[in-house]
Amino acid sequence: MKTLLLSGQWTMRGNGYAVNGLIPGSVYSFLYLDNKLLPDPYYRDNEDLYLELANHEYVFEKVFTYTPSRCPTDLVFEGLDTLCSIYLNGEKIADTDNMHVRYAFDVTTLLKKGINHLQVVFHPVPAYLKQKNKEVKLFGANDCMAGYPHLRKAHCMMGWDWGPRLPDAGIWKDVYLVEKNSAQILNLHVTQRHKDGRVFLTPTLQIDGDAEMKITLTAPNGKTLSLPANTETEIENPCLWWPNGMGEQALYTLIATLLENGIAVDEKQIKIGLRELKLIRQKDDFGESFYHEINGRSMFAMGADYIPEDNIFCRITPERTRTLLTHCRDSHFNAIRVWGGGYYPDDFFFDLCDELGLVVFFDLMFACSVYEPTDHLRDSIVEEVTQNLTRIRHHACLGLICGNNEIEWHFHEYVAISGRTDVEHLSNVYLDLFENLLPQTVKAVAPYLPYIPSSPTSVGGFRDPNGEGYGDCHDWEPNYLVCRNRFYRYVSEFGFEGFPCMKTIEGFTLPEDRNVHSQIMDRHQRSFGGNELILTYLTRNYLYPNDFATFIYASQLLQAEAVKYKVEHFRRHRGRCMGTLYWQLNDIWPVTSWASIDYGGRFKGLQYMAKRFYAPILLSCEEVGEMQNKTFINLEPGLFNEEKSARFCVTNDTMYEMNGTIRWELRDADSDILQSKTQEVCVDALSAKWLDKIVFEGLDPKTQHLHFTLEVNGEILSEATVLFTVAKYHRFQNPHLRYELENNVITIHSDCYAKAVQIEGIDGDLLLEDSFFDMEKGEKRIRILSGTATKLSLRSVYDIR
């Protein structure tokens, strides 16, 4: 088999432009990245300029020299976004309408000796959507362009409550010719069987032609084993693959080769992990369990939801994704959810999840929409899912296939908004697609992968899809304090918005834009009522910030505390709840959102806190004070519970028993110890252990706080503080924060208790060992992990005033 790559230099013309650029690429990348003919699409309100581009037709052209062989030859497009007509040497080959599908066309008779001319004509998406929605009205997320469910295009490119309306178009993956001059591998499928600690592999190889088949398996230690095709073989001394924090990510390299007369003519190489990964759903005292079981051990999923990293997809690179997912690994994530309104990620995404130990909760690309596919679109969907699952099914990280995001939960709401009255018909279409066709498709491709029809879901069929006792749940209650009354089985979405970092904001604004309520800041806040919600809970918890930078800090702190409050609660109930994937990990552009890492790659406060609340061994505190009981400051005394108490819980998500020492101290604002106690604790592997409640008589919530640590073998593994009133009523003293910087170590000095200390580089970006941390009087050393800065900015909750 011979391949001729046609990616690289192409020309694009249309809408008055005629430019050269690189494929994989798009209209936006040709005009902005390759030729700088337009300004940054994310700067201020340049979105409007780029959105107008979508109303025009564009022609991508490639002229190449070719000498035809006598062999059948295919023209292959790995990805076309989305509505296009393809011509080779003036002859129309096809029309396409699904960006998630790989297309291959037999062009043997169309290729010429010498100069060949390939054209791909992209048609305007907005006009198509308007016409389709006029014919058949469909509805979904109201942040998107009307009619978007009619088109198999990444929904978020047409707007979302965190993303712009930038419906780019182009050849977004590689294009090439394939000469079928030999036998070729059509399908390689590796299945595993685990029994009593033994592992058996069956590599099934489907080929076109007559050739010798050779399969080798190389273990992590370099030892190589030959495997017979289409036959089960036991793997001696198997090295198992484990999620991050539970063991090593051992990966085997499997190479399938076809030989003709001893010469290799086709080859496919994959990496696999030997593991048994199940979704356990069993009736119990609380309803039905919902958790991942890996190699016979229960796993509490800790992670976040992933969205596309950029609206210009060619900027999503292996290097960029590696950085993002490495941050996840280093923040103790063991799972990540691929959200269903984007695209099927590239192979390198799953390679990285395998390597870093991140179990993938994988949505198929359907989200927040009412669909009514035609027969043609239905066939295209089957092809889309078949192709993509065939491509990724061998990955050790793949833990769960989910049909869609939030459609079952909000289906009847979407139908009502659309004005459609044929609810029963649309319900049957939904059930047929997500509870019949797609599970059958998944089963045909990878029968060992667990499938659920929607997220959230309980038992399907529109029966209480977001109920507490069954399945996964999305918790979008903004009042995070009430979460302690909720006991979900697995929380796959929950979060709170926070503003991006100041340097990120400076990158898309002018100085006059830097006001929370400015037009440009509002353009970069896509959630209707989002800022109002932030302000509501900010005013409930903090004094009003006196400048823009302090407001940004306060919003990030609020976001981090809200998510932390929920995660710690759910982790304390390990066994009943078995997963927390917060919304969301990353941004698609610079925006106020739920992300913990903003578009600039900068950690918001939430990401720093995630590193602590996802620590494998966590000491957390279920405190009771005015926040929980005195919901309004002017409540009449005696009408509410005035208890001030704390109950500690140690969650151990390691594979080993933990023996440690808990020390708690009741302190005043100057960090002086008023009361303290030390207690030994032993916690079984993969479990949580509660300690007895401590009631504090006479505690003054305005001046006193609780500081606590968990120490194991002389090392503090978990440390935090809690207040017994909202921060705005606590009488923080000025800590007079100051620092010394030497050899990539920052030493912070404080004169008293300082809560949520933030460190920022003024003249450079820094990735830190920790930030947004609490500290008592004294000093704390923080390592700089990457970046350089000679001047730092420090602030704490005291500065919110």
Side-chain angles (χ1 to χ4, degrees):
M1 209 170 68
K2 181 180 177 183
T3 299
L4 173 64
L5 188 66
L6 298 179
S7 302
Q9 284 288 337
W10 282 57
T11 61
M12 184 194 79
R13 54 184 172 82
N15 191 23
Y17 296 102
V19 294
N20 297 321
L22 294 175
I23 295 297
S26 64
V27 173
Y28 294 168
S29 71
F30 269 57
L31 296 180
Y32 171 53
L33 298 179
D34 296 337
N35 292 282
K36 306 301 181 188
L37 295 177
L38 295 175
D40 183 349
Y42 303 157
Y43 184 69
R44 303 193 82 227
D45 55 1
N46 286 346
E47 174 192 354
D48 295 341
L49 174 65
Y50 280 79
L51 179 57
E52 196 282 330
L53 296 175
N55 294 319
H56 303 273
E57 187 172 272
Y58 298 89
V59 181
F60 287 76
E61 299 176 290
K62 176 80 170 184
V63 176
F64 61 96
T65 302
Y66 184 71
T67 301
S69 67
R70 297 180 179 179
C71 307
T73 303
D74 282 354
L75 173 62
V76 180
F77 291 92
E78 292 287 348
L80 292 166
D81 178 18
T82 295
L83 296 171
C84 61
S85 301
I86 305 166
Y87 299 84
L88 179 59
N89 295 323
E91 295 289 333
K92 187 173 184 178
I93 298 173
D95 294 314
T96 72
D97 57 3
N98 190 333
M99 77 171 288
H100 305 301
V101 166
R102 172 186 181 270
Y103 291 98
F105 308 105
D106 185 347
V107 293
T108 309
T109 61
L110 298 180
L111 288 165
K112 297 178 180 179
K113 182 177 181 180
I115 301 299
N116 288 262
H117 188 198
L118 177 60
Q119 287 185 316
V120 185
V121 182
F122 286 88
H123 310 296
V125 163
Y128 177 88
L129 296 182
K130 288 178 182 178
Q131 179 58 36
K132 286 292 184 182
N133 220 37
K134 184 178 180 181
E135 297 169 3
V136 178
K137 189 170 184 181
L138 298 179
F139 193 80
N142 57 13
D143 310 283
C144 285
M145 299 167 66
Y148 75 91
H150 287 285
L151 189 59
R152 296 307 297 148
K153 177 179 174 68
H155 290 346
C156 63
M157 297 176 79
M158 293 170 281
W160 215 261
D161 59 1
W162 37 256
R165 295 185 187 94
L166 292 174
D168 203 358
I171 305 171
W172 71 291
K173 291 188 176 183
D174 278 327
V175 52
Y176 49 90
L177 291 171
V178 176
E179 292 183 358
K180 301 177 181 180
N181 59 356
S182 65
Q184 63 175 318
I185 297 172
L186 299 178
N187 192 11
L188 171 63
H189 190 191
V190 181
T191 55
Q192 305 182 23
R193 184 168 65 89
H194 293 247
K195 183 179 181 180
D196 301 328
R198 301 166 68 189
V199 180
F200 303 84
L201 287 187
T202 303
T204 301
L205 200 58
Q206 180 186 359
I207 70 172
D208 180 19
D210 185 15
E212 177 188 353
M213 294 181 284
K214 179 182 177 183
I215 300 175
T216 60
L217 183 72
T218 303
N221 63 6
K223 184 178 179 180
T224 299
L225 171 70
S226 292
L227 300 179
N230 310 317
T231 303
E232 185 177 80
T233 302
E234 182 173 1
I235 306 303
E236 295 183 2
N237 303 314
C239 299
L240 298 184
W241 182 93
W242 293 92
N244 183 35
M246 298 184 74
E248 297 298 317
Q249 289 74 58
L251 293 171
Y252 288 71
T253 301
L254 187 144
I255 302 176
T257 307
L258 298 185
L259 300 103
E260 293 180 351
N261 300 318
I263 299 173
V265 294
D266 197 9
E267 181 177 286
K268 185 171 178 61
Q269 176 175 315
I270 60 174
K271 288 194 174 183
I272 62 171
L274 306 183
R275 91 291 184 269
E276 191 173 29
L277 184 51
K278 300 178 180 179
L279 179 67
I280 304 300
R281 305 192 69 172
Q282 296 175 343
K283 293 290 190 295
D284 59 22
D285 292 341
F286 309 111
E288 184 181 77
S289 68
F290 189 100
Y291 67 90
H292 306 291
E293 181 186 87
I294 176 76
N295 302 325
R297 308 300 293 270
S298 68
M299 169 186 148
F300 189 104
M302 299 184 287
D305 297 294
Y306 169 89
I307 65 172
E309 296 166 58
D310 207 299
N311 216 99
I312 303 177
F313 281 9
C314 65
R315 292 204 285 199
I316 303 173
T317 64
E319 296 75 21
R320 184 174 177 179
T321 302
R322 173 177 287 279
T323 297
L324 180 66
L325 296 182
T326 299
H327 290 326
C328 295
R329 190 271 313 274
D330 294 344
S331 298
H332 308 298
F333 287 26
N334 61 17
I336 193 165
R337 175 173 171 241
V338 174
W339 171 77
Y343 70 104
Y344 297 86
D346 294 278
D347 293 338
F348 61 74
F349 176 90
F350 298 96
D351 290 339
L352 288 166
C353 289
D354 286 345
E355 175 188 333
L356 299 171
L358 301 174
V359 171
V360 178
F361 183 130
F362 186 74
D363 287 6
L364 303 178
M365 292 303 117
F366 304 88
C368 302
S369 309
V370 175
Y371 299 99
E372 191 177 7
T374 62
D375 290 343
H376 163 73
L377 191 55
R378 183 183 168 92
D379 291 343
S380 183
I381 286 169
V382 171
E383 184 66 19
E384 163 192 325
V385 174
T386 299
Q387 284 188 13
N388 283 286
L389 287 190
T390 299
R391 174 173 62 90
I392 67 175
R393 64 188 173 189
H394 66 277
H395 285 281
C397 63
L398 202 54
L400 171 64
I401 305 299
C402 173
N404 69 72
N405 174 73
E406 291 189 347
I407 302 177
E408 183 184 359
W409 184 24
H410 291 309
F411 180 83
H412 292 91
E413 174 188 339
Y414 296 147
V415 174
I417 293 173
S418 73
R420 297 275 296 265
T421 57
D422 52 343
V423 178
E424 183 177 357
H425 164 68
L426 291 174
S427 298
N428 289 334
V429 171
Y430 169 88
L431 293 172
D432 179 59
L433 180 58
F434 294 106
E435 298 193 14
N436 179 33
L437 182 65
L438 290 183
Q440 287 180 7
T441 305
V442 172
K443 186 176 181 180
V445 176
Y448 40 82
L449 290 176
Y451 174 87
I452 60 173
S454 186
S455 178
T457 192
S458 55
V459 293
F462 302 112
R463 288 165 288 185
D464 193 20
N466 206 35
E468 287 189 25
Y470 297 79
D472 70 318
C473 293
H474 292 189
D475 180 11
W476 284 110
E477 168 57 58
N479 183 3
Y480 53 90
L481 297 179
V482 305
C483 79
R484 289 182 180 175
N485 300 319
R486 298 179 176 180
F487 301 94
Y488 302 115
R489 310 314 304 265
Y490 189 116
V491 197
S492 50
E493 271 195 31
F494 63 104
F496 203 96
E497 281 195 289
F499 280 70
C501 298
M502 273 301 299
K503 284 189 175 64
T504 299
I505 292 173
E506 290 166 358
F508 69 83
T509 60
L510 292 170
E512 56 263 35
D513 300 326
R514 293 165 200 160
N515 182 294
V516 175
H517 304 295
S518 74
Q519 182 179 10
I520 297 303
M521 290 302 297
D522 279 351
R523 290 297 302 271
H524 289 253
Q525 159 59 286
R526 308 307 285 234
S527 176
F528 181 76
N531 284 352
E532 289 87 340
L533 196 63
I534 293 171
L535 286 165
T536 295
Y537 284 89
L538 191 146
T539 56
R540 288 186 186 183
N541 288 279
Y542 303 104
L543 298 175
Y544 198 80
N546 57 12
D547 60 61
F548 185 64
T550 304
F551 178 90
I552 300 305
Y553 160 74
S555 82
Q556 290 193 13
L557 176 57
L558 172 66
Q559 176 191 25
E561 290 283 5
V563 175
K564 170 179 175 284
Y565 197 87
K566 290 188 175 185
V567 169
E568 290 187 343
H569 166 70
F570 295 128
R571 288 195 68 188
R572 285 193 287 266
H573 292 274
R574 191 194 196 282
R576 186 172 183 177
C577 178
M578 287 299 290
T580 55
L581 305 177
Y582 67 76
W583 185 267
Q584 67 207 65
L585 173 63
N586 60 300
D587 279 326
I588 198 170
W589 77 316
V591 65
T592 299
S593 78
W594 298 265
S596 55
I597 300 177
D598 74 17
Y599 177 76
R602 300 178 175 96
F603 280 26
K604 293 159 71 171
L606 174 54
Q607 191 65 36
Y608 282 113
M609 283 206 190
K611 190 175 181 180
R612 298 197 293 273
F613 62 60
Y614 278 154
I617 297 176
L618 172 71
L619 173 63
S620 64
C621 178
E622 187 178 78
E623 79 285 6
V624 174
E626 291 183 348
M627 285 181 68
Q628 291 74 28
N629 294 327
K630 192 176 181 181
T631 55
F632 179 50
I633 191 172
N634 294 316
L635 285 177
E636 180 181 350
L639 295 183
F640 58 90
N641 181 3
E642 298 192 41
E643 175 183 300
K644 312 296 185 302
S645 66
R647 191 179 182 198
F648 294 113
C649 181
V650 180
T651 306
N652 179 11
D653 273 297
T654 74
M655 303 281 276
Y656 309 99
E657 179 183 87
M658 188 281 301
N659 291 279
T661 303
I662 294 174
R663 177 177 175 82
W664 61 260
E665 301 154 340
L666 187 65
R667 294 178 179 244
D668 64 18
D670 291 321
S671 284
D672 293 332
I673 299 174
L674 307 175
Q675 188 179 345
S676 66
K677 186 177 180 179
T678 299
Q679 181 174 351
E680 301 300 313
V681 63
C682 176
V683 185
D684 292 338
L686 306 176
S687 71
K689 184 171 186 177
W690 287 87
L691 280 67
D692 293 337
K693 182 165 75 171
I694 307 161
V695 178
F696 298 101
E697 301 292 346
L699 182 149
D700 180 5
K702 297 180 180 62
T703 62
Q704 295 171 8
H705 66 278
L706 187 65
H707 174 253
F708 48 93
T709 60
L710 173 63
E711 186 175 305
V712 176
N713 296 326
E715 179 184 0
I716 294 178
L717 297 187
S718 189
E719 178 178 17
T721 72
V722 294
L723 303 177
F724 294 91
T725 188
V726 290
K728 66 180 180 180
Y729 297 149
H730 193 83
R731 295 171 186 165
F732 293 99
Q733 301 300 304
N734 189 344
H736 299 107
L737 295 172
R738 53 208 181 274
Y739 69 90
E740 299 164 2
L741 176 58
E742 185 177 0
N743 296 328
N744 286 327
V745 175
I746 305 168
T747 303
I748 308 295
H749 299 270
S750 178
D751 291 344
C752 61
Y753 173 52
K755 188 162 186 63
V757 176
Q758 181 199 35
I759 307 170
E760 277 191 310
I762 295 175
D763 56 348
D765 275 317
L766 296 176
L767 177 63
L768 301 166
E769 177 185 23
D770 202 4
S771 189
F772 285 79
F773 54 81
D774 302 344
M775 67 178 293
E776 302 294 344
K777 176 171 58 180
E779 65 180 40
K780 187 177 181 72
R781 289 178 173 81
I782 302 295
R783 290 183 299 120
I784 297 174
L785 302 181
S786 65
T788 57
T790 60
K791 297 179 181 179
L792 305 179
S793 168
L794 305 177
R795 58 169 60 87
S796 69
V797 174
Y798 173 82
D799 297 296
I800 307 176
R801 59 184 59 239

